[in-house]
Amino acid sequence: MNWSLILQWSFLIALVTAGIRLAVPVVLAVLGEIITERSGVLNLGLEGVMIMGSVAGFLTAYYLENGPMASAGGEWSAWLALLAGMLSGVAMGLIMAVLSVTLRADQVISGVTLVVLGHGLAAYFYRQAFSSLTARVSGMEALPIPLLSRIPVVGEILFNHDPTVYITALMVVAVWFLLFRTTWGLRIRSVGENPAAAETSGVNVGLVRYSATLLGTALAGLGGAVLTVVQLRLFREGITAGRGWIAVALVIFARWRPGLALVGALLFGLADALQYRIQALSQVERGVGAIPYEFLLMLPYIMTILALLYRSGRADAPAALGRPYVKGAD
Amino acid sequence: MTELGSSPVVEPGSGDRASEEELSLAPEQRFQIPPALVNAGAPILGAIIGLLIGALLIVIAGRDPVEAYASMLKGAFGGSRQITETLLKAAPLLLTGLGFTVAFRTRVWNIGGEGQYYMGALLGGMVALFFPEWPPGLLLPAMLLAGVVGGMLWAALAALLKIKRGVSEIISTLMLNYIAVLLVAYLSRGPLQEPGGYLPESAQFVEAARLPGLFGTRVHLGVLIALFFVPLVYVLLWVTPLGFWLRAVGSKDSVAEYAGFNVEKAIFFAMAFSGALAGLTGLIEVSTVHTRLKATITGGYGFSGILVALLGRLHPVGVVLASVFFAALFIGAESMHVLSGLPETLAEAIQAVVVLSVLATDALAHRGQAE
């Protein structure tokens, strides 16, 4: 009796802890997309941005650990790899921004094409760098927060993670603060709601949309890098497994709010963690009633559709979302 | 492509239409540059830019781009065997591309070709597995029909979610992609696994369940089926009233609604049609290439078909040309990989750059007219 209780507790704690960790790349991407969409740009290319971030981050980490710089880079390799992920995200964002802001091309098509570009380039760079597929990087050490991590249960779940988890938590607050408590955030939102009015009051619509798009893709690229550099510590083609698309869906679910985005991404992370764990369990007891792991892998995707069933409608969407701004046309 | 030029709205019926109309330009203003010139010129320019950027990637890899491209060209068109391979690759691209042409003309963003492909392959493949004793004259039509139905139903699900609950079809079709692939993965290692087999795949289809080759070559019936849909899609879109209705819904919902068109039915039809063609593609591919069900039956046509439709300017003839170009890139990149060791995924990157360049060229042409 006692034992089973302890087992259940430890199972739950491990589940929630893993769920939080798995949510991190998605949270970062959703936060980024919220900033971008708040400015009126619909970047559907997030999946391509994330996979570029994941390959750029992984390759950087690998070369810093194994290349001629190995002794010098050492400790900082993971951090530099995350930076590389952000920069590759910005590069992808630049393509999106030029197409959708400067050239006013269709944003749906641009976004979808950006995903294909990301997949093609990521696989190209990775295969060119490695002939074998067994490369690993060392990732990041856990950083238990002094004192707080000793709190029973709560400490284990919240304060015993690698640094990217804490940074992501701070990011949620930072993005909320940026959007709702700074002048820049006000400009982003006004450009997303009514670009003509914003322009009249002296806001440079193009500049704001560029910055929001680039900041958004920087965060998505960071999310991709966290996935390969810190969490999985390897790269495979298609490793982001639709996280970029899920992030786009979660923005709608979250009604363009950072706080709700965190909730949505945590739900996704929990489903993902549950799926991993039950997969492991059902391999142990391969008997009748074991759930095929494919059905568990479906969970996040089914949940996303269900979430949209209850969060559809565009009442909360920025009014000018997806619409190119033509000066003087209104 | 002009209809797509300023299409911001993901979900119709959102009430944004009036202001959208204000933004778009009057037709006579829009067509100052001969549209035919932009239409034909942009893809050619895009192809050139795409190949140049591909050359840059090859140089970065430390190889000679002229040599690499020569090996690609030879690999795609160097002999009858190569041309056969290119044709076999072009057929599924053409078929999915034609489906997306109808969907995008109606401005329905079906990004779920991959899932519809899997469901078509699954349903058609199940017919092949369950009724191996049927004569080919019955089995093959039944399989083709099941393929169509599988893809159509999977797409219809997304269409219903959109029509009934306003769920963006972009997201739902994508999520349904992952679900379909996982479903096929489970079934082919579970209930449909080859009896006594160890691999996660079904038994091999009987000979009667494979689409026959034409005139003793490897070019099979699937290629003919794909070509058959070229005039069919043209007639559908530009000759029948149904096509006029679809294009009206695709160009401006508000006008279509005022004119008494049923927007919801158009969305449903466009989605189901593109799903049916993706499902048919899936069935053709499992029947000829894979000859059994397994998790890895993808050819990526659900996504590359979208690019083919866009590069083909959402016109059946353009889609034929674009599918051959893409097929040549794929097949050529494979032989380039064998000869020089360059990753064959270069083809995908080039294809995306080509389409991005076309988008940019189009937008530039529009912009020039707007100012």
Side-chain angles (χ1 to χ4, degrees):
Chain A
M1 172 69 199
N2 247 347
W3 274 108
S4 71
L5 197 72
I6 290 167
L7 261 175
Q8 280 170 3
W9 260 115
S10 66
F11 178 83
L12 275 178
I13 291 171
L15 180 77
V16 177
T17 313
I20 290 173
R21 201 170 54 240
L22 289 168
V24 165
V26 182
V27 176
L28 289 169
V30 184
L31 289 176
E33 184 69 8
I34 286 178
I35 298 172
T36 307
E37 289 195 15
R38 280 276 182 180
S39 81
V41 176
L42 176 69
N43 181 8
L44 290 180
L46 223 52
E47 176 79 4
V49 176
M50 282 188 89
I51 195 129
M52 284 302 282
S54 69
V55 79
F58 182 82
L59 291 181
T60 307
Y62 187 84
Y63 280 114
L64 286 177
E65 284 174 19
N66 301 288
M69 311 261 292
S71 50
E75 240 174 287
W76 291 96
S77 66
W79 292 103
L80 289 171
L82 295 183
L83 184 68
M86 287 180 87
L87 289 179
S88 71
V90 171
M92 291 292 276
L94 203 56
I95 299 176
M96 186 66 199
V98 168
L99 279 169
S100 60
V101 182
T102 306
L103 297 175
R104 302 194 288 265
D106 183 272
Q107 295 178 11
V108 173
I109 295 175
S110 308
V112 171
T113 313
L114 205 62
V115 176
V116 178
L117 180 70
H119 273 289
L121 281 181
Y124 181 77
F125 288 136
Y126 181 76
R127 283 203 213 166
Q128 206 192 289
F130 301 104
S131 45
S132 74
L133 292 171
T134 50
R136 294 278 190 284
V137 294
S138 59
M140 234 176 224
E141 303 250 325
L143 180 73
I145 305 274
L147 294 177
L148 289 179
S149 61
R150 301 238 199 103
I151 306 171
V153 183
V154 177
E156 211 168 327
I157 289 175
L158 292 180
F159 302 111
N160 199 4
H161 286 286
D162 68 77
T164 61
V165 175
Y166 311 128
I167 291 172
T168 304
L170 292 177
M171 281 299 215
V172 177
V173 183
V175 169
W176 170 82
F177 189 83
L178 166 78
L179 282 174
F180 297 101
R181 289 292 180 274
T182 65
T183 323
W184 192 30
L186 183 66
R187 283 189 187 144
I188 289 177
R189 286 182 294 130
S190 68
V191 160
E193 289 295 334
N194 191 340
E199 178 120 54
T200 312
S201 54
V203 177
N204 184 336
V205 175
L207 191 69
V208 170
R209 286 192 168 173
Y210 258 85
S211 59
T213 305
L214 297 188
L215 186 57
T217 49
L219 283 175
L222 175 64
V226 167
L227 184 72
T228 50
V229 174
V230 181
Q231 300 189 342
L232 303 171
R233 301 175 189 192
L234 54 81
F235 180 86
R236 291 276 177 281
E237 279 166 45
I239 194 141
T240 42
R243 284 177 176 81
W245 290 111
I246 286 177
V248 172
L250 283 179
V251 173
I252 306 173
F253 171 79
R255 291 185 281 168
W256 293 266
R257 288 167 193 285
L260 282 173
L262 179 64
V263 175
L266 281 175
L267 282 176
F268 166 80
L270 277 179
D272 211 15
L274 188 68
Q275 166 266 116
Y276 274 117
R277 253 135 249 275
I278 299 184
Q279 199 176 322
L281 278 183
S282 59
Q283 261 162 17
V284 175
E285 38 183 293
R286 261 201 186 280
V288 196
I291 308 169
Y293 69 88
E294 287 91 351
F295 289 107
L296 296 161
L297 283 171
M298 286 179 198
L299 267 181
Y301 308 113
I302 293 173
M303 270 186 44
T304 301
I305 293 179
L306 290 181
L308 287 192
L309 271 178
Y310 294 97
R311 276 269 182 274
S312 45
R314 289 162 51 92
D316 303 300
L321 180 59
R323 190 181 303 163
Y325 176 62
V326 186
K327 220 177 236 181
D330 277 4
Chain B
M1 207 61 162
T2 36
E3 292 96 327
L4 292 170
S6 61
S7 72
V9 176
V10 183
E11 312 188 40
S14 59
D16 290 347
R17 297 291 158 171
S19 45
E20 186 196 341
E21 257 179 279
E22 282 167 34
L23 274 177
S24 62
L25 300 155
E28 62 272 18
Q29 252 177 311
R30 196 178 263 192
F31 292 120
Q32 272 170 0
I33 294 180
L37 198 70
V38 179
N39 258 338
I44 295 169
L45 187 69
I48 293 170
I49 295 172
L51 291 173
L52 282 178
I53 292 187
L56 191 69
L57 286 170
I58 297 170
V59 170
I60 290 173
R63 308 289 160 80
D64 179 4
V66 177
E67 209 174 285
Y69 277 146
S71 71
M72 275 179 89
L73 197 63
K74 227 176 130 195
F77 298 112
S80 62
R81 198 170 57 87
Q82 284 80 357
I83 292 173
T84 302
E85 290 305 317
T86 303
L87 275 181
L88 289 175
K89 192 77 181 175
L93 290 167
L94 174 59
L95 205 47
T96 48
L98 288 171
F100 294 130
T101 296
V102 172
F104 296 168
R105 281 274 173 191
T106 320
R107 208 182 282 168
V108 168
W109 302 117
N110 178 9
I111 318 289
E114 207 59 22
Q116 293 141 19
Y117 172 101
Y118 267 84
M119 294 310 275
L122 175 63
L123 236 61
M126 279 165 70
V127 170
L129 290 172
F130 292 151
F131 307 104
E133 71 284 0
W134 284 7
L138 181 62
L139 185 58
L140 283 177
M143 284 170 66
L144 290 169
L145 187 67
V148 166
V149 170
M152 199 159 66
L153 287 179
W154 206 238
L157 189 56
L160 283 180
L161 284 170
K162 180 183 177 69
I163 293 166
K164 299 289 173 207
R165 298 300 299 257
V167 175
S168 159
E169 78 274 25
I170 298 172
I171 305 295
S172 65
T173 50
L174 262 158
M175 297 299 117
L176 287 170
N177 281 348
Y178 294 101
I179 296 170
V181 174
L182 288 165
L183 184 66
V184 171
Y186 163 67
L187 289 175
S188 44
R189 77 164 175 89
L192 294 179
Q193 192 185 22
E194 181 171 17
Y198 291 103
L199 295 171
E201 53 187 36
S202 78
Q204 194 164 35
F205 300 159
V206 292
E207 200 60 47
R210 306 193 204 161
L211 292 181
L214 302 171
F215 319 113
T217 64
R218 288 192 57 231
V219 178
H220 54 68
L221 193 61
V223 180
L224 269 194
I225 294 176
L227 284 172
F228 165 76
F229 275 96
V230 175
L232 193 125
V233 165
Y234 179 83
V235 170
L236 168 72
L237 280 174
W238 282 281
V239 179
T240 65
L242 175 63
F244 177 73
W245 172 49
L246 293 176
R247 287 182 296 122
V249 169
S251 57
K252 272 195 178 59
D253 280 353
S254 50
V255 173
E257 263 170 89
Y258 296 141
F261 291 120
N262 187 328
V263 176
E264 291 185 352
K265 273 188 190 158
I267 290 172
F268 190 86
F269 177 86
M271 186 66 99
F273 185 86
S274 54
L277 288 204
L280 185 57
T281 310
L283 182 271
I284 291 173
E285 290 298 290
V286 284
S287 160
T288 56
V289 177
H290 309 285
T291 67
R292 57 175 89 227
L293 287 176
K294 52 187 171 182
T296 53
I297 53 174
T298 179
Y301 302 114
F303 285 102
S304 40
I306 293 175
L307 301 197
V308 164
L310 294 173
L311 182 62
R313 319 300 277 168
L314 303 186
H315 189 287
V317 176
V319 175
V320 172
L321 298 174
S323 67
V324 172
F325 177 56
F326 268 40
L329 278 174
F330 275 127
I331 299 295
E334 275 173 30
S335 84
M336 177 195 73
H337 172 67
V338 173
L339 286 174
S340 67
L342 280 163
E344 65 267 35
T345 46
L346 180 67
E348 251 182 291
I350 292 177
Q351 288 162 357
V353 173
V354 171
V355 174
L356 287 174
S357 311
V358 172
L359 284 177
T361 313
D362 272 352
L364 269 175
H366 271 229
R367 208 182 135 98
Q369 287 152 32
E371 281 160 5

